[in-house]
Coordinates of all heavy atoms in Angstrom, one line a residue:
H1 N -12.4 9.1 11.8 CA -11.2 10.0 11.8 C -11.1 10.9 10.5 O -10.8 12.0 10.6 CB -9.9 9.2 12.0 CG -10.0 8.4 13.3 ND1 -9.9 9.0 14.6 CD2 -10.0 7.1 13.5 CE1 -10.0 8.1 15.5 NE2 -9.9 6.9 14.9
F2 N -11.3 10.2 9.4 CA -11.1 10.9 8.1 C -12.0 12.2 8.0 O -11.5 13.2 7.7 CB -11.3 10.0 6.9 CG -11.0 10.6 5.6 CD1 -9.7 10.4 5.1 CD2 -11.9 11.3 4.9 CE1 -9.4 11.0 3.8 CE2 -11.6 11.9 3.7 CZ -10.4 11.7 3.1
L3 N -13.3 11.9 8.3 CA -14.2 13.0 8.2 C -14.0 14.2 9.2 O -14.4 15.3 8.9 CB -15.7 12.5 8.3 CG -16.1 11.5 7.3 CD1 -17.5 11.0 7.6 CD2 -16.1 12.1 5.9
R4 N -13.2 13.9 10.2 CA -12.9 14.9 11.2 C -11.6 15.5 10.9 O -11.1 16.4 11.6 CB -12.9 14.4 12.6 CG -14.3 14.0 13.1 CD -14.3 13.6 14.6 NE -13.5 12.4 14.9 CZ -13.9 11.2 14.9 NH1 -15.1 10.9 14.5 NH2 -13.1 10.2 15.2
G5 N -11.0 15.2 9.7 CA -9.7 15.8 9.4 C -8.5 15.2 10.1 O -7.4 15.7 10.0
Q6 N -8.7 14.1 10.8 CA -7.6 13.4 11.5 C -7.0 12.3 10.6 O -7.2 11.1 10.8 CB -8.2 12.8 12.8 CG -8.8 13.9 13.7 CD -9.5 13.2 14.9 OE1 -10.1 12.2 14.8 NE2 -9.5 13.9 16.0
Y7 N -6.3 12.7 9.6 CA -5.8 11.9 8.6 C -4.8 10.9 9.0 O -4.8 9.7 8.6 CB -5.3 12.7 7.4 CG -6.4 13.6 6.8 CD1 -6.2 15.0 6.9 CD2 -7.6 13.2 6.4 CE1 -7.2 15.8 6.4 CE2 -8.6 14.0 5.9 CZ -8.4 15.4 6.0 OH -9.3 16.2 5.5
A8 N -3.9 11.3 9.9 CA -2.9 10.3 10.4 C -3.6 9.2 11.2 O -3.3 8.0 11.2 CB -1.9 11.0 11.3
L9 N -4.6 9.6 12.0 CA -5.3 8.6 12.8 C -6.2 7.7 11.8 O -6.4 6.5 12.0 CB -6.3 9.2 13.8 CG -5.6 9.9 14.9 CD1 -6.7 10.6 15.8 CD2 -4.9 8.9 15.7
A10 N -6.6 8.2 10.7 CA -7.3 7.5 9.7 C -6.5 6.4 9.0 O -6.9 5.3 8.9 CB -8.0 8.4 8.7
V11 N -5.2 6.8 8.7 CA -4.3 5.9 8.1 C -4.0 4.8 9.1 O -4.0 3.6 8.7 CB -2.9 6.6 7.8 CG1 -1.8 5.6 7.5 CG2 -3.1 7.5 6.6
A12 N -3.8 5.1 10.4 CA -3.6 4.0 11.4 C -4.8 3.1 11.5 O -4.6 1.9 11.6 CB -3.3 4.7 12.8
A13 N -6.0 3.7 11.5 CA -7.2 2.8 11.6 C -7.4 1.9 10.3 O -7.6 0.7 10.5 CB -8.4 3.6 11.7
Y14 N -7.1 2.4 9.2 CA -7.2 1.6 8.0 C -6.1 0.6 7.9 O -6.3 -0.5 7.4 CB -7.3 2.5 6.7 CG -8.6 3.3 6.6 CD1 -8.5 4.7 6.4 CD2 -9.8 2.7 6.6 CE1 -9.6 5.4 6.3 CE2 -11.0 3.5 6.5 CZ -10.8 4.9 6.3 OH -12.0 5.6 6.3
S15 N -5.0 0.9 8.4 CA -3.8 0.0 8.4 C -4.2 -1.1 9.3 O -3.9 -2.4 9.0 CB -2.5 0.7 8.8 OG -2.2 1.7 7.8
A16 N -4.8 -0.9 10.5 CA -5.2 -1.9 11.4 C -6.3 -2.8 10.8 O -6.2 -4.0 10.9 CB -5.7 -1.3 12.7
Q17 N -7.2 -2.2 10.1 CA -8.2 -3.0 9.4 C -7.6 -3.9 8.4 O -8.0 -5.0 8.2 CB -9.2 -2.1 8.7 CG -10.4 -2.8 8.1 CD -11.4 -1.9 7.5 OE1 -11.2 -0.6 7.5 NE2 -12.5 -2.4 7.1
L18 N -6.6 -3.4 7.6 CA -5.9 -4.2 6.6 C -5.1 -5.3 7.2 O -4.9 -6.3 6.5 CB -5.1 -3.3 5.7 CG -5.9 -2.4 4.7 CD1 -5.1 -1.2 4.1 CD2 -6.5 -3.3 3.6
A19 N -4.6 -5.1 8.4 CA -3.9 -6.2 9.0 C -4.8 -7.4 9.3 O -4.4 -8.6 9.3 CB -3.3 -5.7 10.3
R20 N -6.1 -7.1 9.5 CA -7.1 -8.1 9.8 C -7.7 -8.6 8.5 O -8.2 -9.8 8.4 CB -8.2 -7.6 10.7 CG -7.8 -7.3 12.1 CD -8.9 -6.9 13.0 NE -9.8 -5.8 12.5 CZ -9.6 -4.6 12.6 NH1 -8.5 -4.1 13.3 NH2 -10.5 -3.7 12.1
Q21 N -7.9 -7.7 7.5 CA -8.6 -8.0 6.2 C -7.7 -7.5 5.1 O -7.9 -6.4 4.5 CB -9.9 -7.3 6.2 CG -10.9 -7.7 7.3 CD -12.1 -6.7 7.3 OE1 -12.0 -5.5 7.1 NE2 -13.3 -7.4 7.5
P22 N -6.6 -8.3 4.7 CA -5.7 -7.7 3.8 C -6.2 -7.6 2.3 O -5.5 -7.0 1.5 CB -4.5 -8.8 3.8 CG -5.2 -10.0 4.5 CD -6.3 -9.6 5.3
N23 N -7.3 -8.1 2.1 CA -7.9 -7.9 0.7 C -9.0 -7.0 0.6 O -9.8 -6.9 -0.3 CB -8.3 -9.3 0.2 CG -7.2 -10.2 0.0 OD1 -6.2 -9.8 -0.4 ND2 -7.3 -11.4 0.5
N24 N -9.2 -6.1 1.7 CA -10.3 -5.1 1.7 C -10.0 -4.0 0.9 O -9.3 -3.0 1.3 CB -10.6 -4.7 3.2 CG -11.7 -3.9 3.3 OD1 -12.1 -3.0 2.5 ND2 -12.5 -4.0 4.5
L25 N -10.5 -3.9 -0.3 CA -10.2 -2.8 -1.3 C -10.8 -1.4 -0.8 O -10.1 -0.5 -1.1 CB -10.8 -3.2 -2.6 CG -10.2 -4.4 -3.3 CD1 -10.8 -4.6 -4.7 CD2 -8.6 -4.3 -3.4
N26 N -11.9 -1.5 -0.1 CA -12.4 -0.2 0.4 C -11.4 0.4 1.5 O -11.2 1.6 1.4 CB -13.8 -0.4 1.1 CG -14.9 -0.7 0.1 OD1 -14.8 -0.2 -1.0 ND2 -15.8 -1.5 0.5
A27 N -10.8 -0.4 2.3 CA -9.9 0.1 3.2 C -8.7 0.7 2.5 O -8.1 1.7 2.9 CB -9.4 -1.0 4.2
Y28 N -8.1 0.0 1.4 CA -7.1 0.5 0.7 C -7.4 1.9 0.0 O -6.7 2.8 0.0 CB -6.6 -0.4 -0.4 CG -5.7 -1.5 0.0 CD1 -6.2 -2.8 0.2 CD2 -4.4 -1.3 0.4 CE1 -5.4 -3.8 0.7 CE2 -3.6 -2.2 0.8 CZ -4.0 -3.5 1.0 OH -3.2 -4.5 1.4
H29 N -8.7 1.9 -0.5 CA -9.1 3.2 -1.2 C -9.2 4.3 -0.1 O -8.7 5.4 -0.4 CB -10.5 3.0 -1.8 CG -10.9 4.0 -2.7 ND1 -11.8 3.7 -3.7 CD2 -10.5 5.3 -2.9 CE1 -12.1 4.9 -4.5 NE2 -11.2 5.8 -4.0
N30 N -9.7 4.1 1.0 CA -9.8 5.1 2.0 C -8.5 5.4 2.7 O -8.3 6.6 2.9 CB -10.9 4.6 3.1 CG -12.2 4.5 2.6 OD1 -12.6 5.2 1.7 ND2 -13.0 3.6 3.2
R31 N -7.6 4.5 2.8 CA -6.3 4.8 3.4 C -5.6 5.7 2.3 O -4.9 6.6 2.7 CB -5.5 3.5 3.8 CG -4.2 3.9 4.4 CD -3.4 2.7 4.9 NE -2.9 1.9 3.8 CZ -2.2 0.9 3.9 NH1 -1.9 0.4 5.1 NH2 -1.7 0.2 2.9
G32 N -5.7 5.3 1.1 CA -5.1 6.1 0.0 C -5.6 7.6 0.1 O -4.8 8.5 -0.1
A33 N -6.8 7.8 0.3 CA -7.4 9.1 0.4 C -6.8 9.8 1.6 O -6.5 11.0 1.5 CB -8.9 9.1 0.5
A34 N -6.6 9.2 2.7 CA -6.0 9.8 3.9 C -4.5 10.1 3.6 O -4.1 11.2 4.0 CB -6.1 8.9 5.1
Y35 N -3.8 9.2 3.0 CA -2.4 9.5 2.6 C -2.4 10.8 1.7 O -1.5 11.6 1.8 CB -1.8 8.3 1.8 CG -1.2 7.2 2.7 CD1 -1.5 5.9 2.4 CD2 -0.5 7.5 3.8 CE1 -1.0 4.9 3.2 CE2 0.1 6.5 4.6 CZ -0.2 5.2 4.3 OH 0.4 4.2 5.1
H36 N -3.4 10.8 0.7 CA -3.4 12.0 -0.2 C -3.5 13.3 0.6 O -2.8 14.3 0.4 CB -4.5 11.8 -1.2 CG -4.6 12.9 -2.2 ND1 -5.7 13.0 -3.0 CD2 -3.8 13.8 -2.5 CE1 -5.5 14.0 -3.8 NE2 -4.4 14.6 -3.5
Q37 N -4.4 13.3 1.6 CA -4.6 14.5 2.4 C -3.3 14.9 3.2 O -3.1 16.0 3.5 CB -5.8 14.3 3.4 CG -7.1 14.2 2.7 CD -7.4 15.5 1.8 OE1 -7.2 16.5 2.2 NE2 -7.9 15.2 0.6
L38 N -2.6 13.8 3.5 CA -1.3 14.0 4.3 C -0.1 14.4 3.3 O 1.0 14.6 3.7 CB -0.9 12.8 5.1 CG -1.9 12.5 6.2 CD1 -1.6 11.1 6.8 CD2 -1.7 13.6 7.4
H39 N -0.4 14.5 2.0 CA 0.6 14.8 1.0 C 1.6 13.7 0.9 O 2.8 13.9 0.5 CB 1.2 16.2 1.2 CG 0.3 17.3 1.3 ND1 -0.1 18.1 0.1 CD2 -0.5 17.7 2.3 CE1 -1.0 19.0 0.5 NE2 -1.2 18.8 1.8
Q40 N 1.3 12.5 1.3 CA 2.1 11.3 1.1 C 1.6 10.6 -0.2 O 1.0 9.6 -0.3 CB 2.0 10.4 2.3 CG 2.5 11.0 3.6 CD 2.3 10.1 4.8 OE1 2.3 8.9 4.7 NE2 2.4 10.7 5.9
Y41 N 2.1 11.2 -1.3 CA 1.5 10.9 -2.6 C 1.9 9.5 -3.0 O 1.1 8.8 -3.6 CB 2.0 11.9 -3.7 CG 1.4 13.3 -3.3 CD1 2.3 14.4 -3.3 CD2 0.1 13.5 -3.0 CE1 1.9 15.7 -3.1 CE2 -0.3 14.8 -2.7 CZ 0.6 15.9 -2.8 OH 0.1 17.1 -2.4
D42 N 3.2 9.1 -2.8 CA 3.6 7.7 -3.2 C 2.8 6.7 -2.5 O 2.4 5.7 -3.1 CB 5.1 7.6 -2.9 CG 6.0 8.4 -3.9 OD1 5.5 8.7 -4.9 OD2 7.1 8.6 -3.5
A43 N 2.6 6.9 -1.2 CA 1.8 6.0 -0.4 C 0.3 5.9 -1.0 O -0.3 4.8 -1.0 CB 1.7 6.2 1.1
A44 N -0.2 7.1 -1.3 CA -1.6 7.1 -1.8 C -1.7 6.4 -3.1 O -2.6 5.6 -3.4 CB -2.0 8.6 -2.0
L45 N -0.7 6.6 -4.0 CA -0.7 5.9 -5.3 C -0.6 4.4 -5.1 O -1.2 3.6 -5.9 CB 0.4 6.5 -6.2 CG 0.1 7.9 -6.7 CD1 1.4 8.4 -7.4 CD2 -1.0 8.0 -7.6
A46 N 0.3 4.0 -4.2 CA 0.4 2.6 -4.0 C -0.9 1.9 -3.5 O -1.3 0.8 -4.0 CB 1.5 2.3 -2.9
D47 N -1.6 2.6 -2.7 CA -2.9 2.1 -2.3 C -3.9 2.1 -3.4 O -4.7 1.1 -3.6 CB -3.5 2.8 -1.0 CG -2.9 2.3 0.3 OD1 -2.1 1.3 0.3 OD2 -3.2 2.9 1.3
Y48 N -3.9 3.1 -4.1 CA -4.8 3.2 -5.3 C -4.5 2.1 -6.3 O -5.4 1.6 -7.0 CB -4.8 4.6 -5.9 CG -5.4 5.7 -5.1 CD1 -5.2 7.0 -5.4 CD2 -6.3 5.4 -4.0 CE1 -5.8 8.0 -4.6 CE2 -6.8 6.4 -3.2 CZ -6.6 7.7 -3.5 OH -7.1 8.7 -2.8
E49 N -3.2 1.9 -6.6 CA -2.8 0.8 -7.6 C -3.3 -0.5 -7.0 O -3.7 -1.3 -7.9 CB -1.3 0.9 -7.8 CG -0.8 2.1 -8.5 CD -1.3 2.3 -9.8 OE1 -1.6 1.3 -10.5 OE2 -1.5 3.4 -10.3
R50 N -3.3 -0.8 -5.8 CA -3.8 -2.0 -5.2 C -5.3 -2.1 -5.5 O -5.7 -3.2 -5.8 CB -3.5 -2.0 -3.7 CG -4.0 -3.2 -3.0 CD -3.0 -4.4 -3.2 NE -3.5 -5.6 -2.6 CZ -2.9 -6.1 -1.5 NH1 -1.9 -5.7 -1.0 NH2 -3.5 -7.3 -1.0
V51 N -6.0 -1.1 -5.4 CA -7.5 -1.1 -5.6 C -7.7 -1.4 -7.1 O -8.5 -2.2 -7.4 CB -8.1 0.2 -5.2 CG1 -9.6 0.2 -5.5 CG2 -8.0 0.4 -3.7
I52 N -6.9 -0.7 -8.0 CA -7.1 -0.9 -9.4 C -6.8 -2.3 -9.8 O -7.5 -2.9 -10.6 CB -6.3 0.1 -10.2 CG1 -6.9 1.6 -10.0 CG2 -6.2 -0.3 -11.7 CD1 -6.0 2.6 -10.5
A53 N -5.8 -2.9 -9.2 CA -5.5 -4.3 -9.6 C -6.5 -5.3 -9.1 O -6.8 -6.3 -9.8 CB -4.1 -4.7 -8.8
G54 N -7.2 -5.0 -8.0 CA -8.3 -5.8 -7.5 C -9.6 -5.6 -8.1 O -10.5 -6.5 -8.2
D55 N -9.9 -4.3 -8.6 CA -11.2 -3.9 -9.1 C -11.0 -2.9 -10.1 O -11.3 -1.7 -9.9 CB -12.1 -3.5 -8.0 CG -13.5 -3.2 -8.4 OD1 -13.8 -3.5 -9.6 OD2 -14.3 -2.7 -7.6
P56 N -10.5 -3.3 -11.4 CA -10.3 -2.3 -12.3 C -11.5 -1.5 -12.9 O -11.5 -0.5 -13.6 CB -9.7 -3.0 -13.5 CG -10.0 -4.5 -13.2 CD -10.2 -4.6 -11.8
A57 N -12.8 -2.0 -12.5 CA -14.0 -1.4 -13.0 C -14.5 -0.3 -12.0 O -15.4 0.4 -12.3 CB -15.1 -2.4 -13.1
R58 N -13.7 -0.1 -10.9 CA -14.1 0.9 -9.9 C -13.7 2.2 -10.4 O -12.6 2.7 -10.3 CB -13.4 0.6 -8.6 CG -13.8 1.5 -7.4 CD -13.0 1.2 -6.2 NE -13.3 -0.1 -5.6 CZ -13.4 -0.3 -4.3 NH1 -13.2 0.6 -3.4 NH2 -13.7 -1.5 -3.9
V59 N -14.7 3.0 -10.9 CA -14.4 4.3 -11.7 C -13.9 5.4 -10.7 O -12.9 6.0 -11.2 CB -15.8 4.7 -12.3 CG1 -15.6 6.0 -12.9 CG2 -16.3 3.7 -13.3
K60 N -14.3 5.5 -9.5 CA -13.9 6.6 -8.7 C -12.4 6.5 -8.4 O -11.7 7.6 -8.3 CB -14.6 6.7 -7.4 CG -14.2 7.8 -6.5 CD -15.2 8.3 -5.6 CE -14.8 9.4 -4.6 NZ -13.6 10.1 -4.8
I61 N -11.8 5.3 -8.4 CA -10.4 5.2 -8.1 C -9.5 5.9 -9.1 O -8.4 6.5 -8.8 CB -10.0 3.8 -7.9 CG1 -8.7 3.6 -7.3 CG2 -10.0 3.0 -9.2 CD1 -8.6 4.0 -5.8
Y62 N -9.9 6.0 -10.3 CA -9.2 6.7 -11.4 C -9.2 8.2 -11.3 O -8.2 8.8 -11.4 CB -9.7 6.2 -12.8 CG -9.5 4.8 -13.1 CD1 -10.5 3.9 -12.9 CD2 -8.3 4.3 -13.4 CE1 -10.4 2.5 -13.1 CE2 -8.1 3.0 -13.7 CZ -9.2 2.1 -13.5 OH -9.0 0.7 -13.8
L63 N -10.3 8.7 -10.8 CA -10.4 10.1 -10.5 C -9.5 10.4 -9.3 O -8.8 11.4 -9.3 CB -11.8 10.5 -10.2 CG -12.1 12.0 -9.7 CD1 -11.6 13.0 -10.7 CD2 -13.5 12.2 -9.4
D64 N -9.6 9.6 -8.2 CA -8.7 9.9 -7.1 C -7.2 9.9 -7.5 O -6.4 10.6 -7.0 CB -9.1 8.8 -6.0 CG -10.5 9.1 -5.4 OD1 -11.1 10.2 -5.6 OD2 -11.0 8.2 -4.8
R65 N -6.9 8.8 -8.3 CA -5.5 8.7 -8.7 C -5.1 9.9 -9.5 O -4.0 10.5 -9.4 CB -5.2 7.4 -9.5 CG -3.8 7.2 -9.9 CD -3.5 5.9 -10.5 NE -4.2 5.8 -11.8 CZ -4.0 4.7 -12.6 NH1 -3.3 3.7 -12.2 NH2 -4.6 4.7 -13.8
A66 N -6.0 10.4 -10.4 CA -5.7 11.6 -11.2 C -5.5 12.8 -10.4 O -4.6 13.7 -10.6 CB -6.8 11.8 -12.2
E67 N -6.3 13.0 -9.2 CA -6.1 14.1 -8.3 C -4.7 14.0 -7.7 O -4.1 15.1 -7.5 CB -7.2 14.1 -7.3 CG -8.5 14.5 -8.0 CD -9.7 14.4 -7.0 OE1 -9.5 13.9 -5.8 OE2 -10.8 14.8 -7.4
V68 N -4.2 12.8 -7.3 CA -3.0 12.8 -6.7 C -1.9 13.2 -7.7 O -0.9 13.9 -7.4 CB -2.6 11.3 -6.1 CG1 -1.2 11.1 -5.8 CG2 -3.6 11.0 -5.0
Q69 N -2.0 12.6 -8.9 CA -1.0 13.0 -10.0 C -1.0 14.5 -10.2 O 0.0 15.0 -10.5 CB -1.4 12.2 -11.3 CG -1.3 10.7 -11.1 CD 0.2 10.2 -10.9 OE1 1.1 10.9 -10.5 NE2 0.4 8.9 -11.2
A70 N -2.2 15.1 -10.3 CA -2.2 16.6 -10.5 C -1.5 17.3 -9.3 O -0.8 18.3 -9.6 CB -3.7 17.0 -10.6
D71 N -1.7 16.8 -8.1 CA -1.1 17.5 -6.9 C 0.4 17.3 -7.0 O 1.2 18.1 -6.6 CB -1.6 16.9 -5.7 CG -3.0 17.4 -5.3 OD1 -3.5 18.4 -6.0 OD2 -3.7 16.9 -4.4
R72 N 0.9 16.2 -7.7 CA 2.3 16.0 -7.8 C 2.8 16.7 -9.1 O 4.0 16.7 -9.4 CB 2.6 14.5 -8.1 CG 2.3 13.6 -6.9 CD 2.4 12.1 -7.2 NE 3.8 11.8 -7.4 CZ 4.2 11.0 -8.5 NH1 3.4 10.5 -9.3 NH2 5.5 10.8 -8.6
K73 N 1.9 17.4 -9.7 CA 2.2 18.1 -11.0 C 2.6 17.2 -12.1 O 3.3 17.7 -13.0 CB 3.3 19.2 -10.8 CG 2.9 20.2 -9.7 CD 3.5 21.5 -9.7 CE 3.1 22.4 -8.6 NZ 1.9 22.4 -8.1
A74 N 2.1 16.0 -12.1 CA 2.3 15.1 -13.1 C 1.0 15.1 -14.0 O 0.3 14.1 -14.0 CB 2.6 13.6 -12.5
Y75 N 0.9 16.2 -14.7 CA -0.4 16.5 -15.4 C -0.7 15.5 -16.5 O -1.8 15.1 -16.8 CB -0.4 17.9 -15.9 CG -0.2 18.9 -14.9 CD1 0.9 19.7 -14.7 CD2 -1.2 19.0 -13.8 CE1 1.0 20.7 -13.7 CE2 -1.1 19.9 -12.7 CZ 0.1 20.7 -12.7 OH 0.2 21.6 -11.7
D76 N 0.4 15.0 -17.2 CA 0.2 14.0 -18.3 C -0.4 12.7 -17.7 O -1.3 12.2 -18.3 CB 1.5 13.8 -19.1 CG 2.6 13.3 -18.1 OD1 2.6 13.7 -16.9 OD2 3.5 12.6 -18.6
L77 N 0.1 12.3 -16.5 CA -0.4 11.1 -16.0 C -1.9 11.4 -15.4 O -2.8 10.5 -15.5 CB 0.4 10.6 -14.8 CG 1.8 10.2 -15.2 CD1 2.7 9.9 -14.0 CD2 1.8 9.0 -16.1
A78 N -2.2 12.6 -14.9 CA -3.5 12.9 -14.4 C -4.5 12.8 -15.6 O -5.6 12.3 -15.4 CB -3.5 14.2 -13.8
L79 N -4.1 13.4 -16.7 CA -5.0 13.4 -17.9 C -5.2 12.0 -18.4 O -6.3 11.7 -19.0 CB -4.4 14.3 -18.9 CG -4.5 15.8 -18.7 CD1 -3.8 16.6 -19.7 CD2 -5.9 16.3 -18.6
A80 N -4.2 11.1 -18.2 CA -4.4 9.8 -18.7 C -5.5 9.0 -18.0 O -6.2 8.1 -18.5 CB -3.1 9.0 -18.7
D81 N -5.7 9.4 -16.8 CA -6.8 8.8 -16.0 C -8.1 9.4 -16.3 O -9.1 8.8 -16.3 CB -6.6 8.9 -14.5 CG -5.6 7.8 -14.0 OD1 -5.4 6.8 -14.6 OD2 -5.0 8.1 -12.9

């Protein structure tokens, strides 16, 4: 769904996956990206924070979080990432 631009359907699919696999960090990362595309920044950040808590060495998550912060015009937080 995500690659076809169907972000709401992607959120639903990743949420269903997380109901079955609540510790799946890839699903949180991908759902966060879908939320970001839907401009649901708080939800995206919450998912990204979950990924960072579980795998702080995952470098791409910091770039993704910075992009959300920049879209929110929270440039100081974006630069911190």
Side-chain angles (χ1 to χ4, degrees):
H1 301 292
F2 187 91
L3 295 177
R4 292 189 299 270
Q6 299 171 329
Y7 303 118
L9 290 175
V11 166
Y14 290 124
S15 294
Q17 183 178 10
L18 287 164
R20 294 185 310 274
Q21 301 172 320
N23 296 317
N24 186 324
L25 297 179
N26 289 330
Y28 279 106
H29 195 161
N30 293 335
R31 187 176 71 174
Y35 278 134
H36 184 191
Q37 293 301 316
L38 292 169
H39 302 266
Q40 295 181 20
Y41 301 130
D42 291 338
L45 289 172
D47 278 357
Y48 290 166
E49 292 299 329
R50 178 79 183 249
V51 175
I52 290 168
D55 184 6
R58 186 183 293 218
V59 175
K60 179 150 179 16
I61 195 70
Y62 297 98
L63 174 61
D64 292 342
R65 184 174 67 175
E67 289 175 353
V68 172
Q69 296 292 20
D71 287 347
R72 294 174 68 225
K73 303 201 182 327
Y75 300 116
D76 56 331
L77 295 173
L79 288 172
D81 277 337

